[in-house]
Amino acid sequence: NAGVTQTPKFQVLKTGQSMTLQCAQDMNHEYMSWYRQDPGMGLRLIHYSVGAGITDQGEVPNGYNVSRSTTEDFPLRLLSAAPSQTSVYFCASKTGTGVSVGEKLFFGSGTQLSVL
Amino acid sequence: KNEVEQSPQNLTAQEGEFITINCSYSVGISALHWLQQHPGGGIVSLFMLSSGKKKHGRLIATINIQEKHSSLHITASHPRDSAVYICAVITGNQFYFGTGTSLTVIP
């Protein structure tokens, strides 16, 4: 099992450019999610999905799009990058949408994104 | 408005000390997670709690649903415990996170 694979690890964009952060999990998890981590603010939920074809907004969704065409993949798209989107991004997944005994949240290794 | 508050923000301890990190939350939750973020940035899940107490090795986590409070204890702390510890609550399908407690254990 690779767990949660997140790419790329580092990315530099110019304002207005677009890009996609990739996230894949091989644990057959229903729940997948994207977060940004900024100094002094902690992790904040951007978007999440509870299964293929189902996505919903989190706390800070503006400027980001997601889709979930398969159980395994949950890409995050920045359509027109802005300096305010400079952050560290994490993808995470867990077993289901309820509360399961022994449930854990599995994180990708993170993406450091800089928008100039 | 922060749904999740952690204390202390920073903590320095001598090796062997007993450590407590606190988490208070203001929303109704279905579960609470304690996470550990390593100095290199990776995040791992330590516990998921919906009631009572859990223990794993030297780590103990408790939750009081009525008081909306959880604590993470580390017994016999070790320098390898140095990390940021993050409290996260889930309400519905939304996660809310504390800003973390940075722990440094000195040999």
Side-chain angles (χ1 to χ4, degrees):
Chain A
N1 275 356
V4 179
T5 303
Q6 188 179 333
T7 56
K9 287 193 182 300
F10 302 95
Q11 184 71 51
V12 178
L13 294 177
K14 294 181 179 178
T15 297
Q17 286 186 317
S18 63
M19 79 159 296
T20 299
L21 305 183
Q22 301 291 344
C23 178
Q25 52 87 14
D26 61 359
M27 298 172 281
N28 202 33
H29 284 172
E30 291 182 346
Y31 185 96
M32 296 186 73
S33 49
W34 277 103
Y35 306 89
R36 58 178 291 171
Q37 186 176 39
D38 301 293
M41 301 201 69
L43 290 151
R44 289 181 292 169
L45 179 64
I46 303 171
H47 285 284
Y48 66 93
S49 169
V50 297
I54 306 168
T55 64
D56 208 343
Q57 295 181 350
E59 192 179 351
V60 288
N62 293 341
Y64 307 95
N65 278 358
V66 292
S67 60
R68 184 98 179 264
S69 56
T70 66
T71 300
E72 294 77 22
D73 300 297
F74 189 47
L76 178 72
R77 297 182 187 85
L78 284 71
L79 298 178
S80 178
S84 60
Q85 294 178 303
T86 293
S87 187
V88 180
Y89 291 84
F90 288 95
C91 176
S93 72
K94 70 181 181 76
T95 310
T97 56
V99 176
S100 308
V101 173
E103 174 182 278
K104 289 191 172 186
L105 194 58
F106 292 84
F107 284 84
S109 56
T111 297
Q112 175 82 57
L113 175 67
S114 295
V115 183
L116 306 177
Chain B
K1 170 178 171 285
N2 292 328
E3 287 81 5
V4 182
E5 299 279 355
Q6 280 185 243
S7 63
Q9 272 191 296
N10 298 286
L11 183 55
T12 301
Q14 293 288 333
E15 184 174 356
E17 283 187 8
F18 180 85
I19 288 162
T20 296
I21 299 170
N22 295 299
C23 175
S24 297
Y25 53 91
S26 58
V27 294
I29 68 170
S30 52
L32 180 146
H33 291 248
W34 280 102
L35 311 171
Q36 181 190 53
Q37 186 165 26
H38 298 293
I43 302 174
V44 296
S45 179
L46 299 174
F47 294 105
M48 187 278 290
L49 294 155
S50 55
S51 64
K53 177 180 174 177
K54 283 193 177 177
K55 184 176 188 292
H56 181 68
R58 295 180 294 106
L59 301 178
I60 304 165
T62 63
I63 188 167
N64 185 318
I65 297 292
Q66 287 72 30
E67 294 187 4
K68 296 188 175 178
H69 182 268
S70 175
S71 293
L72 177 68
H73 306 286
I74 305 175
T75 62
S77 59
H78 190 276
R80 64 175 175 266
D81 297 326
S82 297
V84 176
Y85 292 83
I86 301 169
C87 172
V89 301
I90 182 163
T91 175
N93 285 309
Q94 302 244 4
F95 274 92
Y96 296 94
F97 298 81
T99 53
T101 296
S102 179
L103 171 65
T104 302
V105 181
I106 300 170

PDB file of all heavy atoms in Angstrom, chain B residues 90-107:
ATOM      1  N   ILE B  90     -14.393  16.738  13.849  1.00  0.00           N
ATOM      2  CA  ILE B  90     -15.209  16.548  12.658  1.00  0.00           C
ATOM      3  C   ILE B  90     -16.680  16.709  13.043  1.00  0.00           C
ATOM      4  O   ILE B  90     -17.157  16.095  14.004  1.00  0.00           O
ATOM      5  CB  ILE B  90     -14.921  15.200  11.964  1.00  0.00           C
ATOM      6  CG1 ILE B  90     -15.750  15.070  10.692  1.00  0.00           C
ATOM      7  CG2 ILE B  90     -15.133  14.017  12.897  1.00  0.00           C
ATOM      8  CD1 ILE B  90     -15.259  14.011   9.743  1.00  0.00           C
ATOM      9  N   THR B  91     -17.338  17.584  12.298  1.00  0.00           N
ATOM     10  CA  THR B  91     -18.763  17.786  12.475  1.00  0.00           C
ATOM     11  C   THR B  91     -19.417  17.616  11.108  1.00  0.00           C
ATOM     12  O   THR B  91     -19.067  18.316  10.158  1.00  0.00           O
ATOM     13  CB  THR B  91     -19.051  19.161  13.123  1.00  0.00           C
ATOM     14  OG1 THR B  91     -20.448  19.364  13.183  1.00  0.00           O
ATOM     15  CG2 THR B  91     -18.383  20.298  12.396  1.00  0.00           C
ATOM     16  N   GLY B  92     -20.313  16.657  11.002  1.00  0.00           N
ATOM     17  CA  GLY B  92     -20.798  16.266   9.684  1.00  0.00           C
ATOM     18  C   GLY B  92     -19.640  15.658   8.930  1.00  0.00           C
ATOM     19  O   GLY B  92     -19.026  14.699   9.390  1.00  0.00           O
ATOM     20  N   ASN B  93     -19.312  16.235   7.786  1.00  0.00           N
ATOM     21  CA  ASN B  93     -18.149  15.788   7.026  1.00  0.00           C
ATOM     22  C   ASN B  93     -17.056  16.845   6.970  1.00  0.00           C
ATOM     23  O   ASN B  93     -16.136  16.757   6.167  1.00  0.00           O
ATOM     24  CB  ASN B  93     -18.564  15.423   5.601  1.00  0.00           C
ATOM     25  CG  ASN B  93     -19.293  14.103   5.551  1.00  0.00           C
ATOM     26  OD1 ASN B  93     -18.814  13.105   6.072  1.00  0.00           O
ATOM     27  ND2 ASN B  93     -20.477  14.108   4.949  1.00  0.00           N
ATOM     28  N   GLN B  94     -17.147  17.862   7.837  1.00  0.00           N
ATOM     29  CA  GLN B  94     -16.199  18.959   7.831  1.00  0.00           C
ATOM     30  C   GLN B  94     -15.237  18.835   9.005  1.00  0.00           C
ATOM     31  O   GLN B  94     -15.652  18.672  10.148  1.00  0.00           O
ATOM     32  CB  GLN B  94     -16.952  20.292   7.935  1.00  0.00           C
ATOM     33  CG  GLN B  94     -17.944  20.531   6.839  1.00  0.00           C
ATOM     34  CD  GLN B  94     -17.600  21.724   5.973  1.00  0.00           C
ATOM     35  OE1 GLN B  94     -16.565  22.348   6.139  1.00  0.00           O
ATOM     36  NE2 GLN B  94     -18.476  22.053   5.042  1.00  0.00           N
ATOM     37  N   PHE B  95     -13.954  18.967   8.694  1.00  0.00           N
ATOM     38  CA  PHE B  95     -12.916  18.988   9.727  1.00  0.00           C
ATOM     39  C   PHE B  95     -12.562  20.428  10.075  1.00  0.00           C
ATOM     40  O   PHE B  95     -12.451  21.282   9.190  1.00  0.00           O
ATOM     41  CB  PHE B  95     -11.649  18.285   9.224  1.00  0.00           C
ATOM     42  CG  PHE B  95     -11.638  16.794   9.427  1.00  0.00           C
ATOM     43  CD1 PHE B  95     -12.107  15.954   8.440  1.00  0.00           C
ATOM     44  CD2 PHE B  95     -11.166  16.260  10.609  1.00  0.00           C
ATOM     45  CE1 PHE B  95     -12.098  14.581   8.624  1.00  0.00           C
ATOM     46  CE2 PHE B  95     -11.143  14.885  10.804  1.00  0.00           C
ATOM     47  CZ  PHE B  95     -11.606  14.040   9.806  1.00  0.00           C
ATOM     48  N   TYR B  96     -12.353  20.670  11.376  1.00  0.00           N
ATOM     49  CA  TYR B  96     -11.831  21.938  11.865  1.00  0.00           C
ATOM     50  C   TYR B  96     -10.616  21.631  12.746  1.00  0.00           C
ATOM     51  O   TYR B  96     -10.639  20.687  13.531  1.00  0.00           O
ATOM     52  CB  TYR B  96     -12.880  22.698  12.675  1.00  0.00           C
ATOM     53  CG  TYR B  96     -14.089  23.103  11.868  1.00  0.00           C
ATOM     54  CD1 TYR B  96     -15.231  22.301  11.838  1.00  0.00           C
ATOM     55  CD2 TYR B  96     -14.090  24.281  11.118  1.00  0.00           C
ATOM     56  CE1 TYR B  96     -16.331  22.655  11.083  1.00  0.00           C
ATOM     57  CE2 TYR B  96     -15.198  24.638  10.361  1.00  0.00           C
ATOM     58  CZ  TYR B  96     -16.303  23.828  10.351  1.00  0.00           C
ATOM     59  OH  TYR B  96     -17.399  24.186   9.598  1.00  0.00           O
ATOM     60  N   PHE B  97      -9.573  22.458  12.578  1.00  0.00           N
ATOM     61  CA  PHE B  97      -8.298  22.163  13.217  1.00  0.00           C
ATOM     62  C   PHE B  97      -7.880  23.263  14.178  1.00  0.00           C
ATOM     63  O   PHE B  97      -8.124  24.448  13.921  1.00  0.00           O
ATOM     64  CB  PHE B  97      -7.191  22.024  12.161  1.00  0.00           C
ATOM     65  CG  PHE B  97      -7.415  20.901  11.196  1.00  0.00           C
ATOM     66  CD1 PHE B  97      -8.275  21.053  10.120  1.00  0.00           C
ATOM     67  CD2 PHE B  97      -6.774  19.688  11.359  1.00  0.00           C
ATOM     68  CE1 PHE B  97      -8.496  20.009   9.228  1.00  0.00           C
ATOM     69  CE2 PHE B  97      -6.977  18.641  10.462  1.00  0.00           C
ATOM     70  CZ  PHE B  97      -7.841  18.803   9.401  1.00  0.00           C
ATOM     71  N   GLY B  98      -7.208  22.862  15.256  1.00  0.00           N
ATOM     72  CA  GLY B  98      -6.513  23.828  16.085  1.00  0.00           C
ATOM     73  C   GLY B  98      -5.227  24.259  15.383  1.00  0.00           C
ATOM     74  O   GLY B  98      -4.813  23.662  14.389  1.00  0.00           O
ATOM     75  N   THR B  99      -4.609  25.300  15.912  1.00  0.00           N
ATOM     76  CA  THR B  99      -3.390  25.823  15.297  1.00  0.00           C
ATOM     77  C   THR B  99      -2.149  25.047  15.712  1.00  0.00           C
ATOM     78  O   THR B  99      -1.062  25.318  15.222  1.00  0.00           O
ATOM     79  CB  THR B  99      -3.195  27.311  15.616  1.00  0.00           C
ATOM     80  OG1 THR B  99      -3.260  27.478  17.034  1.00  0.00           O
ATOM     81  CG2 THR B  99      -4.273  28.158  14.955  1.00  0.00           C
ATOM     82  N   GLY B 100      -2.324  24.084  16.620  1.00  0.00           N
ATOM     83  CA  GLY B 100      -1.214  23.212  16.960  1.00  0.00           C
ATOM     84  C   GLY B 100      -0.447  23.631  18.197  1.00  0.00           C
ATOM     85  O   GLY B 100      -0.442  24.810  18.576  1.00  0.00           O
ATOM     86  N   THR B 101       0.169  22.671  18.846  1.00  0.00           N
ATOM     87  CA  THR B 101       1.076  22.883  19.974  1.00  0.00           C
ATOM     88  C   THR B 101       2.449  22.386  19.578  1.00  0.00           C
ATOM     89  O   THR B 101       2.607  21.202  19.239  1.00  0.00           O
ATOM     90  CB  THR B 101       0.590  22.139  21.227  1.00  0.00           C
ATOM     91  OG1 THR B 101      -0.657  22.678  21.650  1.00  0.00           O
ATOM     92  CG2 THR B 101       1.616  22.232  22.350  1.00  0.00           C
ATOM     93  N   SER B 102       3.408  23.287  19.580  1.00  0.00           N
ATOM     94  CA  SER B 102       4.779  22.916  19.216  1.00  0.00           C
ATOM     95  C   SER B 102       5.511  22.430  20.453  1.00  0.00           C
ATOM     96  O   SER B 102       5.740  23.207  21.389  1.00  0.00           O
ATOM     97  CB  SER B 102       5.497  24.120  18.605  1.00  0.00           C
ATOM     98  OG  SER B 102       6.829  23.767  18.262  1.00  0.00           O
ATOM     99  N   LEU B 103       5.872  21.169  20.476  1.00  0.00           N
ATOM    100  CA  LEU B 103       6.538  20.544  21.626  1.00  0.00           C
ATOM    101  C   LEU B 103       8.007  20.303  21.317  1.00  0.00           C
ATOM    102  O   LEU B 103       8.342  19.719  20.278  1.00  0.00           O
ATOM    103  CB  LEU B 103       5.867  19.210  21.960  1.00  0.00           C
ATOM    104  CG  LEU B 103       6.579  18.342  23.006  1.00  0.00           C
ATOM    105  CD1 LEU B 103       6.572  19.037  24.365  1.00  0.00           C
ATOM    106  CD2 LEU B 103       5.930  16.966  23.100  1.00  0.00           C
ATOM    107  N   THR B 104       8.853  20.740  22.229  1.00  0.00           N
ATOM    108  CA  THR B 104      10.281  20.456  22.155  1.00  0.00           C
ATOM    109  C   THR B 104      10.687  19.740  23.436  1.00  0.00           C
ATOM    110  O   THR B 104      10.442  20.273  24.533  1.00  0.00           O
ATOM    111  CB  THR B 104      11.116  21.739  22.005  1.00  0.00           C
ATOM    112  OG1 THR B 104      10.695  22.442  20.836  1.00  0.00           O
ATOM    113  CG2 THR B 104      12.606  21.405  21.887  1.00  0.00           C
ATOM    114  N   VAL B 105      11.257  18.559  23.305  1.00  0.00           N
ATOM    115  CA  VAL B 105      11.727  17.804  24.462  1.00  0.00           C
ATOM    116  C   VAL B 105      13.252  17.818  24.453  1.00  0.00           C
ATOM    117  O   VAL B 105      13.879  17.356  23.495  1.00  0.00           O
ATOM    118  CB  VAL B 105      11.196  16.359  24.451  1.00  0.00           C
ATOM    119  CG1 VAL B 105      11.687  15.615  25.684  1.00  0.00           C
ATOM    120  CG2 VAL B 105       9.674  16.342  24.375  1.00  0.00           C
ATOM    121  N   ILE B 106      13.813  18.349  25.523  1.00  0.00           N
ATOM    122  CA  ILE B 106      15.263  18.530  25.615  1.00  0.00           C
ATOM    123  C   ILE B 106      15.888  17.348  26.351  1.00  0.00           C
ATOM    124  O   ILE B 106      15.371  16.946  27.398  1.00  0.00           O
ATOM    125  CB  ILE B 106      15.578  19.836  26.362  1.00  0.00           C
ATOM    126  CG1 ILE B 106      14.978  21.021  25.599  1.00  0.00           C
ATOM    127  CG2 ILE B 106      17.074  20.017  26.543  1.00  0.00           C
ATOM    128  CD1 ILE B 106      15.022  22.308  26.377  1.00  0.00           C
ATOM    129  N   PRO B 107      16.967  16.799  25.800  1.00  0.00           N
ATOM    130  CA  PRO B 107      17.603  15.631  26.462  1.00  0.00           C
ATOM    131  C   PRO B 107      18.148  15.998  27.844  1.00  0.00           C
ATOM    132  O   PRO B 107      18.572  17.134  28.073  1.00  0.00           O
ATOM    133  CB  PRO B 107      18.758  15.271  25.519  1.00  0.00           C
ATOM    134  CG  PRO B 107      18.435  15.921  24.229  1.00  0.00           C
ATOM    135  CD  PRO B 107      17.601  17.120  24.526  1.00  0.00           C
TER     136      PRO B 107
END
